Amino acid sequence: MPNASEPVAPYMAVGLSTIVHGVGSRKDIERNLQIVEDGIHAAVSIIGINMPVRLIALAEGALTGFTDEIFDIPHVTAARELFIDVPGPETERLAALARRYSTYIVVQCKARWPEVIEDRFFNLLFVISPQGEIVHRAAKNHLWCRERSCVPHDIYDRWVELFGDGIDAFYPVLRTDDIGNLGTICCSDGEYPEAVRALAFNGAEVVYRPSEAVPMTQVGLDPGGTWLLQNRAHAHFNNVYMICPNVGPVYVHPRMEHPYDIAGGNSHIVDYQGNVLGHTASGANTFVAGIVDIEALRQFRTMNLNSNWMKDLRTEIFRRMYDEPIHPKNLWLQDEPLGHAEIDEVYRSNIERLIARGSFTRPARQFPGARFLPPSDDAAETDWQALRSLWSSDPADS
Protein backbone atom coordinates (compact mmCIF):
# COMPACT_ATOMS: atom_id res chain seq x y z
CA MET A 1 0.00 0.00 0.00
CA PRO A 2 1.57 3.38 -0.97
CA ASN A 3 2.15 6.16 1.53
CA ALA A 4 -0.63 8.68 2.09
CA SER A 5 -0.12 11.56 -0.34
CA GLU A 6 -1.36 14.26 2.04
CA PRO A 7 -1.77 14.42 5.82
CA VAL A 8 -5.31 14.10 7.18
CA ALA A 9 -6.28 17.10 9.28
CA PRO A 10 -7.76 16.39 12.72
CA TYR A 11 -11.53 16.63 12.71
CA MET A 12 -14.54 16.28 14.96
CA ALA A 13 -16.61 13.10 14.82
CA VAL A 14 -20.17 13.24 16.14
CA GLY A 15 -22.54 10.46 17.18
CA LEU A 16 -26.25 11.33 17.26
CA SER A 17 -28.69 9.84 19.76
CA THR A 18 -32.31 10.45 18.87
CA ILE A 19 -35.73 9.53 20.21
CA VAL A 20 -37.24 6.94 17.87
CA HIS A 21 -40.82 6.29 16.77
CA GLY A 22 -41.61 2.72 15.74
CA VAL A 23 -42.69 2.41 12.12
CA GLY A 24 -45.81 0.60 10.94
CA SER A 25 -45.09 1.32 7.29
CA ARG A 26 -42.43 3.02 5.22
CA LYS A 27 -44.18 6.41 5.40
CA ASP A 28 -43.73 6.44 9.19
CA ILE A 29 -39.96 6.81 8.73
CA GLU A 30 -40.60 10.48 7.91
CA ARG A 31 -41.07 11.34 11.60
CA ASN A 32 -37.71 9.84 12.55
CA LEU A 33 -36.02 11.48 9.59
CA GLN A 34 -37.18 14.91 10.74
CA ILE A 35 -35.69 14.31 14.20
CA VAL A 36 -32.39 13.17 12.65
CA GLU A 37 -32.27 16.23 10.39
CA ASP A 38 -32.77 18.54 13.38
CA GLY A 39 -30.00 16.68 15.21
CA ILE A 40 -27.56 17.11 12.33
CA HIS A 41 -28.27 20.84 12.11
CA ALA A 42 -27.75 21.18 15.87
CA ALA A 43 -24.57 19.09 15.91
CA VAL A 44 -22.83 21.08 13.21
CA SER A 45 -23.87 24.47 14.57
CA ILE A 46 -22.77 23.66 18.14
CA ILE A 47 -19.84 21.26 17.81
CA GLY A 48 -18.52 22.77 14.58
CA ILE A 49 -17.49 25.86 16.52
CA ASN A 50 -14.67 23.82 18.07
CA MET A 51 -13.34 22.04 15.00
CA PRO A 52 -14.77 21.06 11.59
CA VAL A 53 -17.30 18.24 11.83
CA ARG A 54 -16.32 15.75 9.11
CA LEU A 55 -18.11 12.61 10.34
CA ILE A 56 -21.67 12.31 11.70
CA ALA A 57 -22.89 8.87 12.77
CA LEU A 58 -26.50 7.87 13.44
CA ALA A 59 -27.52 5.32 16.06
CA GLU A 60 -29.01 1.95 15.18
CA GLY A 61 -32.77 2.32 14.90
CA ALA A 62 -32.65 6.06 14.24
CA LEU A 63 -34.57 5.77 10.95
CA THR A 64 -36.45 2.47 10.94
CA GLY A 65 -36.74 1.56 14.62
CA PHE A 66 -37.26 -1.97 15.89
CA THR A 67 -40.89 -2.78 15.01
CA ASP A 68 -39.99 -5.99 13.17
CA GLU A 69 -38.15 -7.31 16.22
CA ILE A 70 -40.63 -6.22 18.87
CA PHE A 71 -43.72 -7.54 17.07
CA ASP A 72 -42.08 -10.59 15.46
CA ILE A 73 -43.37 -9.51 12.04
CA PRO A 74 -43.02 -12.11 9.28
CA HIS A 75 -39.75 -11.28 7.53
CA VAL A 76 -41.07 -10.97 3.98
CA THR A 77 -43.95 -8.76 5.15
CA ALA A 78 -41.52 -6.43 6.92
CA ALA A 79 -39.25 -6.33 3.88
CA ARG A 80 -42.09 -5.35 1.57
CA GLU A 81 -44.00 -2.93 3.78
CA LEU A 82 -41.69 -1.31 6.35
CA PHE A 83 -38.22 -0.80 4.99
CA ILE A 84 -36.36 1.26 2.44
CA ASP A 85 -34.19 1.04 -0.62
CA VAL A 86 -30.65 2.44 -0.72
CA PRO A 87 -30.41 4.80 -2.47
CA GLY A 88 -33.92 6.19 -2.15
CA PRO A 89 -35.83 9.32 -1.10
CA GLU A 90 -34.85 8.88 2.54
CA THR A 91 -31.13 8.69 1.79
CA GLU A 92 -31.38 11.68 -0.55
CA ARG A 93 -32.65 13.78 2.37
CA LEU A 94 -29.51 12.89 4.30
CA ALA A 95 -27.34 13.39 1.22
CA ALA A 96 -28.53 16.99 0.99
CA LEU A 97 -27.26 17.58 4.53
CA ALA A 98 -23.94 15.87 3.76
CA ARG A 99 -23.48 18.26 0.84
CA ARG A 100 -24.55 21.31 2.84
CA TYR A 101 -22.17 20.66 5.70
CA SER A 102 -19.36 18.95 3.74
CA THR A 103 -19.44 15.94 6.02
CA TYR A 104 -19.66 12.18 5.82
CA ILE A 105 -22.84 10.72 7.31
CA VAL A 106 -22.79 7.12 8.52
CA VAL A 107 -26.18 5.46 8.71
CA GLN A 108 -27.77 2.26 9.98
CA CYS A 109 -31.21 1.20 8.80
CA LYS A 110 -33.23 -1.87 7.87
CA ALA A 111 -33.24 -1.97 4.07
CA ARG A 112 -33.88 -4.18 1.10
CA TRP A 113 -31.03 -5.18 -1.23
CA PRO A 114 -32.84 -6.61 -4.27
CA GLU A 115 -29.67 -6.87 -6.35
CA VAL A 116 -28.56 -9.49 -3.82
CA ILE A 117 -31.85 -11.25 -3.10
CA GLU A 118 -35.55 -10.44 -3.30
CA ASP A 119 -37.96 -10.37 -0.34
CA ARG A 120 -35.25 -10.03 2.28
CA PHE A 121 -34.14 -7.08 4.37
CA PHE A 122 -30.72 -6.50 5.85
CA ASN A 123 -29.48 -4.49 8.80
CA LEU A 124 -27.63 -2.17 6.47
CA LEU A 125 -24.72 0.17 7.20
CA PHE A 126 -23.86 2.79 4.62
CA VAL A 127 -21.86 6.00 4.24
CA ILE A 128 -22.85 9.16 2.39
CA SER A 129 -19.94 11.29 1.18
CA PRO A 130 -19.70 15.11 1.36
CA GLN A 131 -20.66 15.04 -2.32
CA GLY A 132 -23.91 13.30 -1.41
CA GLU A 133 -22.94 9.93 -2.89
CA ILE A 134 -23.33 6.53 -1.24
CA VAL A 135 -19.70 5.40 -1.11
CA HIS A 136 -19.88 2.40 1.23
CA ARG A 137 -22.39 -0.31 2.01
CA ALA A 138 -22.13 -3.29 4.36
CA ALA A 139 -24.52 -5.65 6.11
CA LYS A 140 -24.59 -6.60 9.76
CA ASN A 141 -23.09 -10.08 10.14
CA HIS A 142 -24.22 -11.17 13.63
CA LEU A 143 -27.65 -10.80 15.21
CA TRP A 144 -29.03 -10.96 18.69
CA CYS A 145 -31.60 -13.70 19.18
CA ARG A 146 -34.66 -11.47 18.60
CA GLU A 147 -33.52 -9.79 15.41
CA ARG A 148 -34.86 -11.26 12.18
CA SER A 149 -32.73 -9.36 9.67
CA CYS A 150 -31.07 -11.39 6.93
CA VAL A 151 -27.28 -11.49 7.18
CA PRO A 152 -24.74 -12.50 4.51
CA HIS A 153 -24.15 -15.87 6.21
CA ASP A 154 -27.89 -16.65 5.88
CA ILE A 155 -27.52 -16.48 2.08
CA TYR A 156 -23.86 -17.39 2.02
CA ASP A 157 -23.70 -19.02 -1.42
CA ARG A 158 -25.41 -16.06 -3.10
CA TRP A 159 -23.25 -13.56 -1.22
CA VAL A 160 -20.03 -15.29 -2.19
CA GLU A 161 -21.22 -15.53 -5.79
CA LEU A 162 -21.57 -11.73 -5.88
CA PHE A 163 -18.80 -10.50 -3.59
CA GLY A 164 -16.32 -13.36 -3.13
CA ASP A 165 -15.34 -15.09 0.10
CA GLY A 166 -12.55 -12.79 1.30
CA ILE A 167 -12.74 -10.85 4.55
CA ASP A 168 -13.45 -7.70 2.55
CA ALA A 169 -16.65 -9.28 1.22
CA PHE A 170 -18.08 -9.32 4.76
CA TYR A 171 -16.13 -6.50 6.41
CA PRO A 172 -15.40 -3.90 3.71
CA VAL A 173 -13.52 -0.69 4.50
CA LEU A 174 -14.02 2.74 2.93
CA ARG A 175 -10.67 4.40 2.19
CA THR A 176 -10.75 8.20 2.03
CA ASP A 177 -8.19 10.99 1.71
CA ASP A 178 -9.86 13.29 4.23
CA ILE A 179 -11.15 11.26 7.21
CA GLY A 180 -8.99 8.12 7.01
CA ASN A 181 -10.22 4.57 6.49
CA LEU A 182 -13.69 3.79 7.84
CA GLY A 183 -15.19 0.40 8.73
CA THR A 184 -18.75 -0.31 9.88
CA ILE A 185 -20.28 -2.88 12.20
CA CYS A 186 -23.50 -2.80 14.21
CA CYS A 187 -24.50 -3.70 17.76
CA SER A 188 -24.20 -7.51 18.02
CA ASP A 189 -21.33 -7.58 15.52
CA GLY A 190 -19.20 -6.02 18.23
CA GLU A 191 -19.80 -8.88 20.65
CA TYR A 192 -17.20 -10.77 18.58
CA PRO A 193 -13.53 -9.69 18.71
CA GLU A 194 -13.10 -10.99 15.17
CA ALA A 195 -15.32 -8.28 13.65
CA VAL A 196 -13.15 -5.25 14.43
CA ARG A 197 -9.99 -7.30 13.91
CA ALA A 198 -11.21 -8.12 10.39
CA LEU A 199 -11.81 -4.44 9.70
CA ALA A 200 -8.39 -3.54 11.09
CA PHE A 201 -6.71 -6.11 8.83
CA ASN A 202 -8.53 -4.45 5.93
CA GLY A 203 -7.04 -1.10 6.92
CA ALA A 204 -9.77 0.44 9.09
CA GLU A 205 -8.70 3.36 11.28
CA VAL A 206 -12.15 4.48 12.40
CA VAL A 207 -14.89 1.96 13.24
CA TYR A 208 -18.59 2.76 13.55
CA ARG A 209 -20.51 0.55 15.99
CA PRO A 210 -23.96 1.91 16.84
CA SER A 211 -26.29 0.96 19.68
CA GLU A 212 -26.56 -1.57 22.44
CA ALA A 213 -29.40 -2.33 24.83
CA VAL A 214 -29.98 -2.86 28.52
CA PRO A 215 -28.61 -4.78 30.44
CA MET A 216 -25.29 -4.64 28.57
CA THR A 217 -25.12 -0.84 28.86
CA GLN A 218 -25.74 -0.97 32.63
CA VAL A 219 -23.50 -3.80 33.88
CA GLY A 220 -21.10 -2.76 36.66
CA LEU A 221 -20.40 0.59 38.26
CA ASP A 222 -18.68 2.19 35.28
CA PRO A 223 -20.85 4.05 32.73
CA GLY A 224 -21.60 2.20 29.54
CA GLY A 225 -21.39 -1.30 31.04
CA THR A 226 -19.96 -4.08 28.89
CA TRP A 227 -20.77 -2.12 25.71
CA LEU A 228 -18.19 0.53 26.55
CA LEU A 229 -15.87 -2.17 27.88
CA GLN A 230 -16.01 -4.00 24.54
CA ASN A 231 -15.46 -0.87 22.49
CA ARG A 232 -12.49 0.23 24.55
CA ALA A 233 -11.05 -3.26 24.07
CA HIS A 234 -11.70 -3.17 20.31
CA ALA A 235 -9.92 0.19 20.11
CA HIS A 236 -6.99 -0.95 22.25
CA PHE A 237 -6.42 -4.34 20.60
CA ASN A 238 -6.68 -2.99 17.05
CA ASN A 239 -5.54 0.65 17.41
CA VAL A 240 -8.70 2.11 15.90
CA TYR A 241 -11.07 4.89 16.85
CA MET A 242 -14.54 3.64 17.86
CA ILE A 243 -17.58 5.85 17.11
CA CYS A 244 -20.49 4.45 19.12
CA PRO A 245 -23.79 6.38 19.25
CA ASN A 246 -26.64 4.73 21.13
CA VAL A 247 -30.33 4.92 20.29
CA GLY A 248 -32.56 7.11 22.42
CA PRO A 249 -35.89 6.25 24.09
CA VAL A 250 -38.27 4.40 21.76
CA TYR A 251 -41.99 4.84 21.18
CA VAL A 252 -42.81 1.25 20.19
CA HIS A 253 -46.08 2.36 18.59
CA PRO A 254 -48.04 5.65 18.33
CA ARG A 255 -50.48 4.79 21.14
CA MET A 256 -47.70 4.88 23.77
CA GLU A 257 -47.90 7.96 25.98
CA HIS A 258 -44.26 7.68 27.02
CA PRO A 259 -41.24 6.05 25.35
CA TYR A 260 -39.09 3.32 26.89
CA ASP A 261 -35.37 3.87 27.19
CA ILE A 262 -34.45 0.38 26.00
CA ALA A 263 -30.79 1.23 25.44
CA GLY A 264 -29.84 3.35 28.43
CA GLY A 265 -27.80 6.02 26.63
CA ASN A 266 -24.01 6.00 27.15
CA SER A 267 -22.91 6.94 23.63
CA HIS A 268 -19.14 7.26 23.42
CA ILE A 269 -16.12 7.84 21.22
CA VAL A 270 -12.88 6.00 22.03
CA ASP A 271 -9.41 6.72 20.70
CA TYR A 272 -6.92 4.22 19.25
CA GLN A 273 -5.41 3.47 22.68
CA GLY A 274 -8.74 2.77 24.34
CA ASN A 275 -9.19 6.17 26.01
CA VAL A 276 -12.71 7.60 26.15
CA LEU A 277 -12.73 10.92 24.28
CA GLY A 278 -16.42 11.66 24.65
CA HIS A 279 -19.31 10.17 26.61
CA THR A 280 -22.91 11.16 27.24
CA ALA A 281 -25.20 9.53 29.78
CA SER A 282 -28.38 10.65 28.03
CA GLY A 283 -29.67 9.21 24.78
CA ALA A 284 -32.63 11.57 24.41
CA ASN A 285 -31.93 13.75 21.37
CA THR A 286 -28.31 14.50 22.16
CA PHE A 287 -24.89 13.85 20.75
CA VAL A 288 -21.39 12.74 21.65
CA ALA A 289 -18.26 14.23 20.08
CA GLY A 290 -14.54 13.64 19.94
CA ILE A 291 -11.48 14.70 17.94
CA VAL A 292 -10.14 12.12 15.50
CA ASP A 293 -6.45 12.48 14.64
CA ILE A 294 -5.64 10.04 11.85
CA GLU A 295 -2.03 11.15 11.51
CA ALA A 296 -1.37 10.46 15.20
CA LEU A 297 -2.89 6.99 14.81
CA ARG A 298 -0.72 6.25 11.78
CA GLN A 299 2.42 7.37 13.58
CA PHE A 300 1.49 5.22 16.59
CA ARG A 301 0.94 2.15 14.43
CA THR A 302 4.18 2.49 12.49
CA MET A 303 6.59 3.77 15.18
CA ASN A 304 5.61 1.56 18.10
CA LEU A 305 7.24 -1.79 18.88
CA ASN A 306 5.08 -2.68 21.87
CA SER A 307 1.36 -1.82 21.91
CA ASN A 308 0.45 -1.96 18.21
CA TRP A 309 -0.55 -5.56 18.81
CA MET A 310 -1.46 -6.71 15.31
CA LYS A 311 2.17 -6.70 14.20
CA ASP A 312 2.92 -9.61 16.55
CA LEU A 313 0.15 -12.00 15.52
CA ARG A 314 1.25 -15.60 14.93
CA THR A 315 -1.60 -16.18 12.52
CA GLU A 316 -0.86 -19.84 11.78
CA ILE A 317 -1.67 -20.98 15.31
CA PHE A 318 -5.25 -19.68 15.11
CA ARG A 319 -6.20 -20.99 11.67
CA ARG A 320 -7.81 -24.28 12.75
CA MET A 321 -10.03 -22.65 15.34
CA TYR A 322 -12.70 -21.87 12.76
CA ASP A 323 -12.56 -25.01 10.62
CA GLU A 324 -15.64 -26.56 12.23
CA PRO A 325 -18.86 -24.53 11.72
CA ILE A 326 -21.21 -23.61 14.57
CA HIS A 327 -24.13 -21.66 13.11
CA PRO A 328 -25.57 -23.15 9.89
CA LYS A 329 -25.16 -21.08 6.74
CA ASN A 330 -27.68 -20.53 3.92
CA LEU A 331 -30.66 -20.73 6.29
CA TRP A 332 -32.69 -18.19 4.31
CA LEU A 333 -31.31 -18.68 0.82
CA GLN A 334 -34.43 -20.59 -0.20
CA ASP A 335 -36.68 -20.54 2.90
CA GLU A 336 -38.37 -17.52 4.44
CA PRO A 337 -36.76 -16.48 7.74
CA LEU A 338 -38.47 -17.96 10.80
CA GLY A 339 -40.03 -16.22 13.78
CA HIS A 340 -38.68 -15.86 17.30
CA ALA A 341 -39.84 -19.16 18.79
CA GLU A 342 -38.63 -21.26 15.85
CA ILE A 343 -35.25 -19.56 15.60
CA ASP A 344 -34.63 -20.16 19.31
CA GLU A 345 -34.25 -23.84 18.42
CA VAL A 346 -31.49 -23.00 15.94
CA TYR A 347 -29.52 -21.30 18.71
CA ARG A 348 -30.11 -24.22 21.07
CA SER A 349 -28.73 -26.55 18.40
CA ASN A 350 -25.64 -24.35 18.22
CA ILE A 351 -25.17 -24.77 21.97
CA GLU A 352 -25.42 -28.55 21.56
CA ARG A 353 -22.71 -28.45 18.87
CA LEU A 354 -20.39 -26.62 21.24
CA ILE A 355 -21.08 -29.20 23.96
CA ALA A 356 -20.43 -32.05 21.52
CA ARG A 357 -17.07 -30.65 20.45
CA GLY A 358 -15.98 -30.03 24.04
CA SER A 359 -16.07 -26.23 24.00
CA PHE A 360 -18.92 -26.14 26.52
CA THR A 361 -19.35 -28.55 29.45
CA ARG A 362 -22.91 -29.56 30.29
CA PRO A 363 -23.85 -28.52 33.85
CA ALA A 364 -24.57 -31.08 36.56
CA ARG A 365 -28.27 -30.26 36.37
CA GLN A 366 -30.14 -28.80 33.42
CA PHE A 367 -32.72 -26.01 33.84
CA PRO A 368 -35.00 -24.36 31.28
CA GLY A 369 -33.11 -21.60 29.49
CA ALA A 370 -34.08 -18.32 27.87
CA ARG A 371 -36.92 -18.62 25.37
CA PHE A 372 -39.40 -16.48 23.49
CA LEU A 373 -42.52 -15.71 25.51
CA PRO A 374 -45.34 -14.22 23.41
CA PRO A 375 -47.15 -11.26 25.01
CA SER A 376 -50.50 -13.05 24.69
CA ASP A 377 -51.81 -16.61 24.33
CA ASP A 378 -54.38 -15.30 21.86
CA ALA A 379 -52.79 -15.55 18.40
CA ALA A 380 -55.18 -12.89 17.09
CA GLU A 381 -53.69 -10.35 19.49
CA THR A 382 -50.16 -10.91 18.23
CA ASP A 383 -50.98 -11.07 14.51
CA TRP A 384 -49.26 -8.28 12.61
CA GLN A 385 -52.29 -7.49 10.47
CA ALA A 386 -54.22 -6.72 13.67
CA LEU A 387 -51.37 -4.85 15.32
CA ARG A 388 -51.03 -2.49 12.36
CA SER A 389 -54.14 -0.70 13.64
CA LEU A 390 -51.90 0.84 16.33
CA TRP A 391 -50.65 3.15 13.59
CA SER A 392 -54.18 4.23 12.61
CA SER A 393 -54.65 7.99 12.80
CA ASP A 394 -58.07 7.50 14.38
CA PRO A 395 -58.11 5.41 17.62
CA ALA A 396 -61.67 4.41 16.83
CA ASP A 397 -60.36 2.49 13.81
CA SER A 398 -58.70 -0.04 16.11
Side-chain angles (χ1 to χ4, degrees):
M1 184 65 63
N3 294 336
S5 58
E6 296 291 340
V8 178
Y11 61 88
M12 196 71 78
V14 176
L16 288 187
S17 293
T18 54
I19 293 173
V20 169
H21 295 267
V23 302
S25 65
R26 184 172 178 176
K27 65 180 177 59
D28 298 321
I29 297 171
E30 168 67 22
R31 191 172 189 180
N32 291 327
L33 193 54
Q34 290 176 354
I35 296 172
V36 167
E37 287 177 328
D38 288 342
I40 291 174
H41 288 305
V44 175
S45 63
I46 295 171
I47 297 169
I49 295 172
N50 299 275
M51 186 170 283
V53 174
R54 301 306 317 279
L55 179 62
I56 298 174
L58 308 190
E60 182 184 22
L63 292 184
T64 49
F66 308 97
T67 310
D68 57 304
E69 304 173 27
I70 295 168
F71 292 105
D72 198 11
I73 303 173
H75 182 99
V76 173
T77 299
R80 293 175 178 175
E81 298 180 7
L82 268 63
F83 299 133
I84 71 172
D85 301 298
V86 177
E90 297 87 357
T91 65
E92 184 50 42
R93 293 266 294 274
L94 296 173
L97 290 169
R99 289 189 290 266
R100 172 175 292 278
Y101 292 122
S102 189
T103 186
Y104 292 84
I105 299 178
V106 194
V107 184
Q108 177 280 339
C109 68
K110 304 285 181 67
R112 297 179 286 266
W113 202 336
E115 308 96 296
V116 175
I117 190 169
E118 293 283 351
D119 283 338
R120 300 286 184 272
F121 68 85
F122 297 83
N123 193 324
L124 196 66
L125 314 165
F126 63 93
V127 179
I128 302 173
S129 74
Q131 293 73 41
E133 300 171 346
I134 294 172
V135 291
H136 171 88
R137 183 160 30 178
K140 186 177 182 180
N141 283 292
H142 292 88
L143 307 175
W144 75 301
C145 60
R146 292 294 172 260
E147 183 178 346
R148 294 282 69 79
S149 305
C150 185
V151 303
H153 191 257
D154 293 331
I155 55 166
Y156 184 85
D157 290 350
R158 172 62 176 162
W159 194 270
V160 169
E161 176 188 348
L162 292 174
F163 303 113
D165 63 356
I167 294 176
D168 58 337
F170 302 93
Y171 291 99
V173 169
L174 171 67
R175 292 180 177 269
T176 78
D177 294 330
D178 47 357
I179 64 165
N181 304 329
L182 176 64
T184 56
I185 60 171
C186 182
C187 190
S188 300
D189 276 330
E191 319 289 2
Y192 305 90
E194 297 88 344
V196 178
R197 177 55 53 85
L199 290 171
F201 265 118
N202 277 343
E205 298 164 323
V206 179
V207 174
Y208 164 72
R209 184 204 177 182
S211 297
E212 186 61 275
V214 172
M216 285 74 75
T217 55
Q218 294 180 337
V219 173
L221 297 177
D222 295 330
T226 56
W227 186 44
L228 179 53
L229 174 70
Q230 287 174 1
N231 293 327
R232 293 189 68 187
H234 286 312
H236 173 65
F237 288 139
N238 300 292
N239 301 134
V240 296
Y241 285 92
M242 298 292 299
I243 314 296
C244 307
N246 207 6
V247 66
V250 176
Y251 288 90
V252 175
H253 57 77
R255 307 300 174 89
M256 290 179 63
E257 184 176 357
H258 303 289
Y260 278 93
D261 189 5
I262 62 174
N266 288 293
S267 297
H268 50 270
I269 295 176
V270 182
D271 78 4
Y272 56 90
Q273 295 186 73
N275 301 306
V276 178
L277 299 178
H279 172 268
T280 176
S282 172
N285 287 349
T286 187
F287 30 68
V288 66
I291 296 173
V292 174
D293 189 341
I294 296 297
E295 290 299 315
L297 176 153
R298 290 174 177 174
Q299 294 287 1
F300 181 90
R301 283 179 167 182
T302 56
M303 293 177 66
N304 201 324
L305 293 182
N306 180 42
S307 48
N308 51 347
W309 311 113
M310 279 176 53
K311 75 178 189 316
D312 305 324
L313 272 172
R314 274 67 167 171
T315 55
E316 294 84 356
I317 67 176
F318 298 112
R319 290 186 187 278
R320 298 296 183 191
M321 192 161 55
Y322 301 108
D323 282 350
E324 192 173 340
I326 298 169
H327 190 87
K329 64 182 179 182
N330 289 321
L331 282 176
W332 317 135
L333 186 60
Q334 303 296 334
D335 298 329
E336 292 186 11
L338 298 173
H340 292 337
E342 295 86 357
I343 203 67
D344 279 359
E345 298 308 314
V346 175
Y347 289 115
R348 288 197 183 88
S349 296
N350 293 349
I351 292 172
E352 290 300 319
R353 288 188 189 92
L354 289 169
I355 292 173
R357 65 196 280 181
S359 300
F360 289 178
T361 299
R362 201 181 298 279
R365 183 177 178 187
Q366 203 85 0
F367 296 94
R371 62 194 63 248
F372 175 64
L373 299 173
S376 172
D377 290 332
D378 185 350
E381 293 183 6
T382 59
D383 180 74
W384 173 241
Q385 296 307 317
L387 291 168
R388 289 179 64 178
S389 64
L390 291 168
W391 279 262
S392 171
S393 57
D394 182 357
D397 292 345
S398 61

